[in-house]
Amino acid sequence: MVKLNGDHLKLAIQKDGRLTEDTRNLLRTVGLQFDAYKQRLFSNCRNFPMDILFVRDDDIPEYVAEGVVDLGIVGRNLMVEAEKNVQELMPLNYGQCTLMVAVPADSGISDVKQLAGCKVATSYPNSTQRFFAERDIPVNVIPISGSVEITPALGVAAAIVDLVSTGSSLKLNDLVAIDTVLESQSIIIANPNSLSNTHKSSIIERLLTRFRGVLSAAEYKYVMMNVPSHELDYVSNLMPGLKSPTVLPTADPEWMAVHTAIREDVFWEAIEELKRRGAQGILVSSIEKMFV
Ligand code: ATP
Ligand code: ZN
């Protein structure tokens, strides 16, 4: 029988929703072996001192704050909304979305100041309350649990505060976003007591090191190329890589082989510049894990 182990760290993740697949993939990519059947409420990792609980995402900040679990993976939007005593440890680079203020496209409203005295419907009442209070705009926040986008058309509210990723749901309901309440993505959060417990914090640090290895790897490409020897200094300065590039002689003294890691965000510009400098035989590969 599967049992929770008192010595093990406990991690809560979303059981079935938008974050579930990416979260499981991340955990598996960092080498954790566990079962995740639909009916299952928790699972022991076979090769790491941690148990995973599968729960509704809304409950995760509370479970972490109360110490039911040590760690949770959840959207930042829910952590901020819950206003609980938990610590954000690391953004995980998936589940990106934005909590936005939106109004009917034909409302003539383009600034949140124009919403003074209006009703604002949302599933994020705390975040919404704070957003308007910080700007000294008095609004009447109407908490709604689902289908917030429909409320302006029903005459329930003049504006909404809702999560947007592609914006297609807003468009479908003739709404336009006019301001940003919060940029969100999936994050890992911890109970502060677990962080100050020596045994638990050392396991948490092991887990975070693995996460960093996977997340940094996704930011870089590994590039191998041949560079004309007289361009070597220029090319080395162009892309110092993680320290300095690895330079190897080739059979032809006119050419050197250069290996380096290039950040994804400057990758295409770097490749264009390398081509201009005469680099040839440029091979690019993904990096699975990276520890710097
Ligand atoms: P649960 O059944 O676990 O309560 P849910 O229906 O409340 O799930 P999901 O819709 O699965 O929640 O969303 C989980 C998280 O995914 C959100 O809290 C948010 O961080 C993120 N997310 C990313 N894009 C979007 C989006 N377009 N709309 C809603 N959430 C999004
Ligand atoms: Zn939920």
Side-chain angles (χ1 to χ4, degrees):
M1 190 177 119
V2 193
K3 267 178 36 189
L4 286 171
N5 184 321
D7 273 349
H8 283 189
L9 215 58
K10 293 185 205 67
L11 165 72
I13 68 171
Q14 191 182 27
K15 184 175 171 55
D16 188 15
R18 291 175 200 256
L19 300 181
T20 305
E21 193 184 344
D22 284 342
T23 303
R24 285 186 193 165
N25 287 344
L26 174 66
L27 296 176
R28 295 218 157 96
T29 310
V30 301
L32 305 183
Q33 294 173 359
F34 58 95
D35 298 319
Y37 316 118
K38 271 257 158 48
Q39 321 82 315
R40 227 183 199 163
L41 298 181
F42 66 88
S43 190
N44 308 120
C45 286
R46 284 189 284 280
N47 56 352
F48 196 78
M50 187 166 81
D51 297 329
I52 302 174
L53 277 81
F54 307 101
V55 300
R56 284 204 56 190
D57 65 347
D58 311 63
D59 297 331
I60 293 177
E62 169 97 18
Y63 284 174
V64 174
E66 295 300 320
V68 176
V69 293
D70 305 289
L71 299 171
I73 293 181
V74 71
R76 184 182 285 129
N77 50 303
L78 285 185
M79 180 198 80
V80 171
E81 178 64 18
E83 299 181 335
K84 300 277 182 204
N85 183 22
V86 299
Q87 195 168 324
E88 176 174 340
L89 299 180
M90 193 188 286
L92 300 175
N93 215 16
Y94 61 87
Q96 280 87 353
C97 55
T98 313
L99 192 59
M100 299 196 92
V101 184
V103 294
D106 61 3
S107 64
I109 298 174
S110 58
D111 191 301
V112 284
K113 290 197 192 86
Q114 294 170 266
L115 292 172
C118 291
K119 290 180 180 166
V120 181
T122 184
S123 312
Y124 293 84
N126 296 334
S127 308
T128 302
Q129 207 65 269
R130 211 177 318 118
F131 174 87
F132 285 100
E134 278 165 11
R135 288 160 184 77
D136 279 325
I137 305 168
V139 295
N140 185 3
V141 175
I142 316 271
I144 301 272
S145 56
S147 302
V148 171
E149 319 90 287
I150 194 87
T151 56
L154 296 176
V156 175
I160 64 167
V161 167
D162 204 7
L163 283 182
V164 178
S165 49
T166 58
S168 58
S169 172
L170 290 185
K171 222 178 238 156
L172 212 63
N173 290 284
D174 291 322
L175 299 169
V176 285
I178 56 168
D179 214 331
T180 296
V181 177
L182 178 80
E183 299 283 357
S184 182
Q185 61 173 295
S186 182
I187 59 174
I188 178 159
I189 57 175
N191 175 291
N193 294 332
S194 305
L195 291 174
S196 44
N197 172 311
T198 329
H199 171 69
K200 287 183 172 177
S201 68
S202 73
I203 310 175
I204 293 173
E205 195 40 53
R206 283 174 62 199
L207 186 68
L208 294 185
T209 301
R210 294 186 184 196
F211 281 175
R212 280 186 211 106
V214 170
L215 297 173
S216 331
E219 284 176 29
Y220 285 87
K221 294 283 179 212
Y222 195 71
V223 180
M224 292 162 277
M225 67 201 131
N226 292 323
V227 174
S229 302
H230 64 276
E231 294 286 9
L232 192 59
D233 285 347
Y234 181 88
V235 168
S236 301
N237 288 332
L238 180 68
M239 49 189 68
L242 300 174
K243 280 219 167 68
S244 59
T246 307
V247 178
L248 305 163
T250 67
D252 180 346
E254 300 281 302
W255 290 89
M256 300 296 257
V258 175
H259 294 195
T260 192
I262 302 185
R263 283 187 68 94
E264 183 83 80
D265 51 352
V266 295
F267 175 76
W268 287 109
E269 282 154 51
I271 295 293
E272 283 156 16
E273 184 61 12
L274 287 170
K275 297 273 298 170
R276 276 196 287 276
R277 291 284 161 167
Q280 287 184 3
I282 305 174
L283 301 180
V284 181
S285 55
S286 306
I287 302 172
E288 192 186 340
K289 297 186 179 67
M290 187 169 100
F291 300 94
V292 287

